[in-house]
Amino acid sequence: MGVDARAKRLAAGFGPGERAARRAMRRALTGADDYGRVRNLPAEDATTKLSPQLHFGTISARELEALLLERETEGALELRRQIAWRDFWLNVIGRFPANRDLEHDERMRGMRWRRSARDLDAWKRGRTGVPWIDAGMRQLLAQGWMHNRVRMAVASYLTKNLLLDWRHGEAHFMRHLLDGDEAQNNGNWQWAGSVGADAQPYFRIFNPVRQQQRFDPDGIYVRRWLPELAELPDRHLAAPWEAPGPVLAEAGIELGSEYPEPLVDLGESRAEAISRFRDQRDRNGSAD
Ligand SMILES: Cc1cc2nc3c(=O)[nH]c(=O)nc-3n(C[C@H](O)[C@H](O)[C@H](O)COP(=O)(O)OP(=O)(O)OC[C@H]3O[C@@H](n4cnc5c(N)ncnc54)[C@H](O)[C@@H]3O)c2cc1C
């Protein structure tokens, strides 16, 4: 009844319902021992993908934890650590319900965010000109899911490089994620935007070029989502704007046509973000 056909198709990929969820949990347990090795490699697509099931309650986090405890391997321990984040964010929003609208870190309230409908739209469509970001954003639109390693990068890019309000990203994720969950999404967005509950006393900006080189060195994930870059050699795939003209031509790419020019310079926007965030904190007192 009134169920959007696209949502139905996306959900089918995850197998809705308890029976499918239990099958997915058994698969996750089998793969758990190797989880630590593969969990940061989006091309392997080897995380559990249990997040929609946990969100809808078709499996129980407690049961999963109990079964993982029996395994006693490093991989199972690492997976339990990730599941603990889920409890952490549930606790944070439960204790601080104002976080739904406001930055958990009071010093960051009233931050001067940029406004750019053009940049926000390009980010949403996976047309920023930065392959690691665009691949993730296109995966989100196509599958209603995105790998965690890339979620962190696209959130950092939106809030630091584009300096756009984290609430835009939070809303877009809630609209498209099958695992979209207020506690998890809000907590992670605030964390990635350096405005939330965060134990790290330094300012975090993911470098999408280095992230891609490190976590997708063969470009398998990026080429999967950006077929227009398929012919670009590995060494230029993370930063096509730095590729020599003849290399781009050979790969059939004209920047600004098949694939966009970058919206912003990564180095300059990083420096601007550091200065703007620092000013904001200084204005409101106590540095960490
Ligand atoms: C900006 C941003 C927004 C996010 N929004 C959501 C959201 O709306 N809903 C959601 O469930 N997760 C969210 N996450 C957390 C994480 O990305 C997903 O839980 C994970 O990618 C789901 O894939 P998986 O089940 O294969 O994870 P696995 O790596 O297999 O991890 C197993 C389970 O641990 C939990 N988990 C892992 N990482 C996190 C984390 N960082 N925070 C909380 N729980 C975690 C999830 O329940 C996950 O299903 C977000 C992360 C970021 C950076």
Side-chain angles (χ1 to χ4, degrees):
M1 256 191 0
V3 178
D4 172 63
R6 180 169 169 271
K8 228 171 160 179
R9 180 176 54 75
L10 292 179
F14 281 79
E18 191 176 344
R19 201 172 305 155
R22 296 197 76 77
R23 268 200 307 275
M25 183 164 73
R26 280 195 294 276
R27 264 199 312 276
L29 288 167
T30 314
D33 300 347
D34 205 24
Y35 177 78
R37 185 184 66 81
V38 294
R39 78 180 193 90
N40 277 314
L41 305 174
E44 300 244 350
D45 210 13
T47 58
T48 66
K49 297 225 174 137
L50 289 178
S51 49
Q53 319 287 8
L54 286 163
H55 168 66
F56 287 106
T58 41
I59 56 169
S60 137
R62 281 192 183 200
E63 183 182 358
L64 179 58
E65 152 108 89
L67 292 167
L68 284 169
L69 264 170
E70 288 170 9
R71 296 192 83 87
E72 294 182 343
T73 59
E74 251 318 299
L77 176 64
E78 185 60 48
L79 184 49
R80 283 178 48 229
R81 273 196 208 109
Q82 299 311 310
I83 295 166
W85 277 109
R86 182 177 168 276
D87 294 301
F88 177 71
W89 295 124
L90 276 166
N91 267 293
V92 169
I93 204 128
R95 295 253 306 129
F96 302 96
N99 286 11
R100 290 191 173 94
D101 304 306
L102 291 173
E103 287 78 2
H104 178 84
D105 183 342
E106 292 180 12
R107 294 168 301 175
M108 302 313 288
R109 294 182 186 169
M111 168 89 178
R112 272 189 314 120
W113 300 104
R114 273 178 69 236
R115 283 168 201 226
S116 168
R118 181 202 71 149
D119 289 0
L120 179 60
D121 183 60
W123 177 81
K124 287 181 180 174
R125 290 189 299 120
R127 300 279 300 166
T128 67
V130 181
W132 191 238
I133 304 304
D134 293 339
M137 297 308 293
R138 292 198 209 173
Q139 179 179 26
L140 175 64
L141 294 181
Q143 294 190 332
W145 188 86
M146 191 196 303
H147 192 280
N148 181 61
R149 175 72 22 214
V150 198
R151 289 189 204 200
M152 293 191 287
V154 302
S156 167
Y157 179 83
L158 184 82
T159 53
K160 313 289 174 52
N161 297 101
L162 297 184
L163 270 169
L164 297 178
D165 194 328
W166 58 275
R167 280 164 279 247
H168 294 306
E170 183 194 25
H172 182 70
F173 269 33
M174 277 310 272
R175 171 145 190 250
H176 290 280
L177 279 175
L178 287 169
D179 63 28
D181 180 291
E182 189 179 46
Q184 309 309 323
N185 199 42
N186 177 276
N188 275 289
W189 266 99
Q190 293 217 25
W191 176 88
S194 296
V195 298
D198 197 339
Q200 306 244 25
Y202 60 82
F203 187 68
R204 176 189 316 103
I205 302 185
F206 286 89
N207 178 325
V209 173
R210 265 191 254 128
Q211 290 277 308
Q212 179 177 328
Q213 288 164 341
R214 185 161 166 214
F215 297 111
D216 190 33
D218 305 323
I220 295 170
Y221 174 77
V222 163
R223 288 193 179 90
R224 189 178 297 154
W225 296 108
L226 306 180
E228 66 270 43
L229 299 184
E231 300 301 323
L232 202 57
D234 287 352
R235 70 180 175 286
H236 296 297
L237 193 59
W241 59 91
E242 285 174 358
V247 173
L248 287 170
E250 174 86 3
I253 299 161
E254 191 187 330
L255 287 187
S257 170
E258 282 79 17
Y259 189 68
E261 302 261 11
L263 290 177
V264 290
D265 178 278
L266 292 176
E268 284 170 17
S269 55
R270 179 180 192 281
E272 167 68 16
I274 289 175
S275 132
R276 217 183 264 208
F277 275 70
R278 189 182 294 130
D279 286 354
Q280 170 73 24
R281 284 187 188 196
D282 290 351
R283 232 192 339 270
N284 291 329
S286 70
D288 10 56

